[in-house]
Amino acid sequence: MLYRVIDTDELSSLIRGFMDDYEFIAPVKADRGYVFEVVDDPSKVELDYVTTITSPKKYFLPSEEVLMRYSAEENEITDYSVDIKPRVIFGVHPCDINALNRLDLVYKDAPYPDPYYIKRRENTLIIGMSCMPGPNCFCNLFGTDEARMGADMFMQKIGDKYIISLSSVEASSTLERYCNPQRATDEDRKEFRRATREREAAFNKDIPHVQEIAMMMDVFHRDEFWTELGNRCQSCSACASVCPTCFCFDIFDRLDPDGKNGSRIRSWDACTSPEFALVAGGHNFRGDNRRRVRHRFYHKLNGFTGSHDYQLCVGCGRCVTACKANINPIEVLKFFDRKGAEQDGE
Amino acid sequence: MESRKRTAPTTLSVMTEQSFTPPLTGEEMMAANPYRPWSARITSITPLTEKETLFEMRIIDDRVREAFHHHPGQFVCVSIFGVGEVPISISSSPSKSGFIEICVRRAGEVTTALHNMQCGDIVGLRGPYGTPFPFEEMKGHDVLLVAGGLGIAPLRSLINNIHDQRSEFEKVTIVYGAKTPGEIMFRQQFEQWSHRPDFDFYLTIDKPHPDWTGHVGMVTEAFKTLEVDADNTYGAICGPPVMYRFVVEEMAKKGISYDRIFMSFERHMKCGMGRCGHCQIGHQYVCLDGPVFNYWEAKNIQGSM
Ligand SMILES: Cc1cc2nc3c(=O)[nH]c(=O)nc-3n(C[C@H](O)[C@H](O)[C@H](O)COP(=O)(O)OP(=O)(O)OC[C@H]3O[C@@H](n4cnc5c(N)ncnc54)[C@H](O)[C@@H]3O)c2cc1C
Ligand code: SF4
Ligand code: SF4
Ligand code: FES
């Protein structure tokens, strides 16, 4: 990896540079927290944030998108073009970068690659930014506290400088044009290590690491714990909406008012929604909240490792805030930690 | 480093009309856009029961049709634009090329719309999807096929394929159960076959019925009299969810190895390609890793049975 250093006061020039050439997306302050949004004024960009309400997922998988247009009369497709803009998403934290890497496994490096996702991914630069964890952050437990891949460039703040790792030539050329990047010195690297250690030390130590979670989830599949969570769940699917790695969707047809033409639409869906596993004839394979909530966590923390070798939670903590019923991975980790301790006879 | 300034945001197109000129291979066809259904014409409609109808279809585009190859146990997604898209098993044998048959139960919106269509009408098809029955692996062995209700739809593809290459297989036993005589599908074909020496046919209905002189009872009843050469037999099961546990147990009791008992699962499906999540059980996608699983795999999937 190539490393360069810039001064923090060069940041606005860099942002302006990206703004000139791309649709520019960055965190801004909103009523209830921070959100990723299209920004055209560099002073609106807020880089000192812990987390945003929703993740950059929406720029790759819009909550609703048209897959194709058709004539219902002829029962034939008439249009499958989709507009995609070259974009920069600026100030993305490691958990969200790793979440995109997880989505790549499902949408890109998959048996049937998804052209809509891939085109957006190919035309979007990801500019990563270091952060300090808040009380609900536990990315460190899943190894997603560092973005080892998936960003075009990653900026680690060290004092009044940024040390930047460069992955793509496209991001690098913008940096070259709008800033005055220097080679990293030994002093910079020392600062880098110091910053990393400082972050590591700042994680909430009450959130346990459960090494054997996969086995535990299989063993306690029928535990009362899931009934308790199920009873609390409101099936609102807020957890899935804010989650940067939840990728499930629905496909449905919507006719134009004239009834002649229509769109085939893909929209976000969630395994916490009651009809998710319902089939014609009325059988529901996950017919209650207990089964649905359990499935969500099973898939996040265990199931996805069985198919893709990674956990599907990146520890961003968004659902911890979003779920009004207090159902979240931290609770689940704590439960299994307790169960483990009980078995150990502590 | 040299500057490579990009032009201000422009509009790109995910796919143009051009990228959709039908490519040559199945893979290329999918690579273009796996969500795109291809037009197919309904070439024949045969009512089977009150609720089920057999549709024969032919993909219109020559190159796409020639690229379309399926194996018994796979399914297609059938589209009626403006109504929706549903997964349906291919019911015909791969040996019947150029056409596919699907056997559809009127169950909801899309399947009803399909029942209202006429010969010559156009539908959309994409696929074939899913992991099939291990037809080649089954060759040289006895096969024991058990179907309940609509489960005969996917199994018929396997049955007909075995029929077309009958000499490649040893003993072939087919157990098929329906609720009433009126709900037996492909009744004529099966009644003819039940007199053939090369097929052991066991046709049963759930409860006694005035029009019925054959077996009565669940498909598991058949196992009381079945002789199974356990080391040389492959089993395949397809039917309603409740049936699997009982039939699998019977097969296992007869001594058939877990990895030679195959079953086809049904789940809610939207994409058919391992992405939308609807068909997920445990760590598997029924559409991609299944719908056909062997018993060993099924046992290892949390929540499968
Ligand atoms: C692998 C597989 C093979 C199948 N093979 C056949 C077959 O050969 N013949 C046949 O008649 N039926 C088959 N089915 C069931 C068939 O897909 C459903 O009956 C059909 O989806 C109902 O759609 P609908 O619009 O008529 O009903 P609605 O109740 O209006 O369904 C609404 C939507 O829910 C989803 N859905 C509902 N039920 C099912 C279901 N059982 N499976 C998957 N998705 C569902 C579909 O996306 C459907 O569009 C199969 C299902 C699967 C998964
Ligand atoms: S777990 Fe919480 S956020 Fe998710 S559906 Fe249930 S109540 Fe809503
Ligand atoms: S499950 Fe919760 S903590 Fe984990 S990635 Fe999703 S939103 Fe973040
Ligand atoms: S049907 Fe979409 S993942 Fe299986």
Side-chain angles (χ1 to χ4, degrees), chain A residues 21 75 112 114 264 278, chain B residues 3 5 35 79 122 268 275:
Chain A
D21 296 354
N75 215 0
Y112 300 94
D114 188 289
R264 176 150 294 173
L278 178 73
Chain B
S3 145
K5 180 171 160 63
Y35 299 95
S79 274
I122 307 286
H268 188 123
R275 188 166 296 127

Side-chain angles (χ1 to χ4, degrees), chain B residues 198-265:
Chain B
D198 55 348
F199 286 96
D200 286 340
F201 230 95
Y202 188 102
L203 207 52
T204 178
I205 61 162
D206 286 4
K207 289 185 196 118
H209 192 280
D211 303 343
W212 187 252
T213 53
H215 296 288
V216 174
M218 300 292 148
V219 287
T220 42
E221 289 291 311
F223 283 82
K224 289 187 176 151
T225 50
L226 272 183
E227 275 174 38
V228 175
D229 175 4
D231 293 339
N232 192 39
T233 300
Y234 275 83
I237 311 168
C238 197
V242 287
M243 201 185 92
Y244 288 102
R245 206 173 305 147
F246 298 107
V247 179
V248 152
E249 232 164 70
E250 293 294 341
M251 286 196 181
K253 261 196 261 170
K254 294 277 181 192
I256 305 176
S257 165
Y258 285 3
D259 62 348
R260 285 186 174 185
I261 303 173
F262 290 85
M263 48 197 138
S264 177
F265 282 155

